[in-house]
């Protein structure tokens, strides 16, 4: 039986990942994610040397994070990309762009208040869902034998 | 002599594209862009049928736009991705993600006020510039014989 | 011992899949398929929102189905593509086209009454079989140690 | 200025190709097509040897045709795939499947009477148009500077 | 511990495969091969229909064999390609060409009497060996921890 | 108008290339070939250093030849692969294998006396022709507007 | 749980590999390496035939080593590339170049005395570390659930 | 007539590029190179912001250089990689590694005093030359009609 590898990209300030993981417990799926602890992620490269300039500090850490995220995206069968109502969330759109170019199906998860600014991202998505419960239904349907 | 094909992605509300094109007039470069007239872009698919639901209207138009943008991104040697100070601009981050996955070099163009939210996008960029004049210098340097 | 992954594409109104699976029980093969319950497949995206227009309803469901079918086709070693005597079955030809472009071997399964309209699809196939028993013989031969 | 290469796939019994070519005369586009003379296409391999069996005669000719069609599809920026109201037209769906797997944008052209059987093909299309005039508008929009 | 997947291509009239498999018994390797029983291989497609013309009979069988060989070549880490002193053995050179284009390392196994006609095949090989004992030494060396 | 790039692989001791080039004079095709002067080809690397051992002398020259042949094969739209009645001609089968793996259509050109040993090579070919006049007809048909 | 495959490239005269392996004992990682015994590596092809000329002897052995190293690099999720203070170490830079072209993340490990000559290699790296303890911290961070 | 695109990688302190360009004046070749003025290359990113830390200054400039070098390497048909007798020259080995992974033929140009440390780089090269005059002969031979 195929085990589906699903990457959960985007928002880290709510428990949407836990809800989906909980709802898919009985299914042959493995979930992966970026590191979702904000401070850890921002400091991922700090031990490699102190970078005075905030740009280079962020650069150093982001590239360490990219080792993880690029590998996990390349390994996944499906990505769920979550856009919440706070922050810029360009990393989520960036992940979606990678999926599109790699031919990886992805589903977006966001409110209808941001349909218009997400139209390019949604255009290449395989579905748009508004709730984690919808995502769980999609996964159930897609992976069933 | 190689003619460089440069895709200008992102912000459509300022004249940054014109500045770069003007500054590179004497160079062996061709610039391409998405359709940058906002209303045209939003209505790109309207003639194909009236979609009641705003999601499907956006969807229909965005996919017509994607015929153009995906082809031009796949054809480019280099992309310049501009993030302004307004709007969500997820399309710009989405284009950058596609470039990253396709192995296309891209340079970001943005103020230092948004270094932190753009850190994942900048991590895979080949340079970050703050002004169009910096972009012109990069292009001049890169394409010279 | 290599386990062969075989995708069974096409007709969903007869038991050809069951016959092949039954006949290959003793072999190191795993079979995958699209969702073959017609009503489930047509309604795959309905929970994501009511689409008034039949085109968008079909669109929404078909893309959810495509998450499954595109992934399974990309994962397979071999596809069997069945054309029955009813309906348009453009999805089967579409799957065959994907296999051809991805360099995945596929075998067609159809009567000799439709040789001529299937000539382009058969041209890129690795074999044409008329019965499930022929398909079973091909699989037996191909996967044996 | 980029010259767009557009492949016109499918129906050969009406003048839809001529209409599109006529309507795009002033645009930087080149159109390519399969050989559209039915008898020539069926006989494309006959000079290579007489094949008694109709299957092998079709096979021989279809592979000669495939030299042309596969090359032109791989060379195109965009494909227009036309489904008329006669015949099986599996070759059109097969071409669409190849485009999907190669990451080539394609637009379908068909009546709304066949939306449902074409749902898988339309799911991966970048647009669906009902008339050649709609296709011309899409091309005009996509290729404009 | 990585298990190496090694494809044994070419000559089927001597026991070179058995010698190598015997010599590598203790190593983390899996060997795959084409069907090596000549009559079975020649008849692989016969059950699909009687082809009067010898060309089409061979064609039908060879494509069934290609399902197996192309998949196994694409799955291998390393190929050993054996050229004996009888027959044309174009299939062995054909397999080597596929390996070269796919970036799969291959080692040739042949006497020094045929160095000159094999020079293009050897040029892209990662080694040339004269005996199965040399091949075993290469495999031992390559796969050891 | 597309200019077709056709690689002529194989036999160098008869004038089959000249016949095809002559017959296609009026067509939008460009032909490329390996270096076809036997002594030049064998000595292609001699100026790089004297290699005592015949294997290394051949190796050195064959790799210089491979710079040309691999590039031209990767650049072609179609290859014609000629097997004559003399010599081993493993290089021709090797080129065909490369085409198969790269998804390049190729046509074989050989007598019916060698159908059986060429069955694997012919299985992946898009056509088999017995005369240069047949090849010219195929090219004419394939490249016509 | 994903098992990460990490290739350790470069310097063979110090125990940096052992330090990293020791420090990552509790993590879901597998390490691979080239053959690190200098004399074995230099003699890897000697049994295939005596090559008088030192160039061809090296050539023969290096290609046998390349069977191992190219396969392991293509299989890895991440490479660590170590530059020590002795020898030319072009092989390490060569491995890094392969990783860059294959889209494999790699981290360099070297003193700050060689920052300048390694700038092109570091430009495409995902991190630069000065100590094995830094490398262990990166791996811990990247692979954690 | 095919125009060959040849990338000249490596040493910038002698006139080897000029010698080759001079010697190939009459041939259908175009040469490309990295920026070969040392100070310009080191300062390529300086206008983008002052980086206190020498690592980040080099990083910034090297990535600007990589826009040029990666694009030109991906565009070339053949690379000549020159190793002189001074400096570390890891960038040359890095370029060779990229060529190897991209399937681009490359030829090395170096003295026999450095055969041993370059053995891995030479193993994947299509030729090794000791003088620019040898390189010119290779190019003449390879590109001739």
């Amino acid at each position: 039986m195929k085990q589906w590898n699903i990457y959960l990209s985007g928002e880290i300030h709510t428990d949407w990942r836990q809800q989906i993981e909980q709802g898919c417990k009985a299914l042959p799926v493995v979930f992966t994610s970026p590191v979702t602890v904000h401070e850890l992620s921002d400091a991922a490269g700090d031990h490699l040397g102190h970078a005075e300039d905030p740009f280079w500090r962020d650069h150093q850490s982001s590239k360490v994070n990219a080792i993880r995220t690029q590998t996990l995206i390349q390994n996944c069968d499906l990505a769920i990309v979550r856009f919440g109502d706070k922050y810029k969330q360009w990393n989520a759109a960036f992940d979606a762009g990678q999926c599109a170019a790699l031919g990886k199906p992805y589903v977006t998860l966001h409110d209808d208040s941001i349909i218009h600014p997400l139209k390019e991202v949604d255009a290449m998505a395989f579905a748009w869902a508004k709730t984690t419960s919808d995502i769980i239904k999609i996964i159930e349907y897609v992976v069933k034998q």
Side-chain angles (χ1 to χ4, degrees), chain A:
Chain A
M1 186 160 61
K2 177 177 171 60
Q3 197 183 44
W4 287 69
N5 188 323
I6 303 179
Y7 185 73
L8 303 174
S9 166
E11 196 194 23
I12 59 172
H13 302 91
T14 66
D15 68 343
W16 69 277
R17 282 187 181 79
Q18 287 67 37
Q19 293 177 28
I20 292 174
E21 289 175 17
Q22 186 64 25
C24 294
K25 256 176 146 172
L27 301 174
V29 292
V30 176
F31 292 101
T32 59
S33 293
V35 170
T36 54
V37 183
H38 200 157
E39 316 78 67
L40 287 181
S41 167
D42 280 4
D46 284 358
H47 64 95
L48 297 173
H50 177 68
E52 200 76 42
D53 189 327
F55 179 80
W56 294 117
R57 190 218 166 193
D58 273 349
H59 204 66
Q60 196 168 240
S61 286
S62 296
K63 286 180 127 175
V64 171
N65 281 303
I67 297 173
R68 176 181 176 100
T69 55
Q70 293 222 337
T71 301
L72 296 181
I73 287 174
Q74 285 164 22
N75 285 183
C76 79
D77 295 305
L78 168 65
I80 311 298
V81 188
R82 165 71 183 156
F83 292 86
D85 52 7
K86 284 198 201 126
Y87 308 105
K88 292 293 192 181
Q89 307 183 84
W90 283 317
N91 58 322
F94 184 71
D95 285 356
Q98 288 186 75
C99 288
L102 295 169
K104 301 273 177 195
Y106 66 92
V107 175
T108 58
L109 171 61
H110 61 82
D111 289 346
D112 50 18
S113 59
I114 46 176
I115 285 176
H116 195 63
L118 276 172
K119 63 185 187 298
E120 288 87 1
V121 177
D122 283 339
M124 291 300 113
F126 279 51
W128 160 49
K130 283 179 285 280
T131 66
T132 52
S133 135
D134 282 339
I135 293 287
I136 294 164
K137 277 186 207 145
I138 290 174
I139 295 175
E140 260 174 353
Y141 177 82
V142 162
V143 310
K144 79 181 156 203
Q145 292 316 96

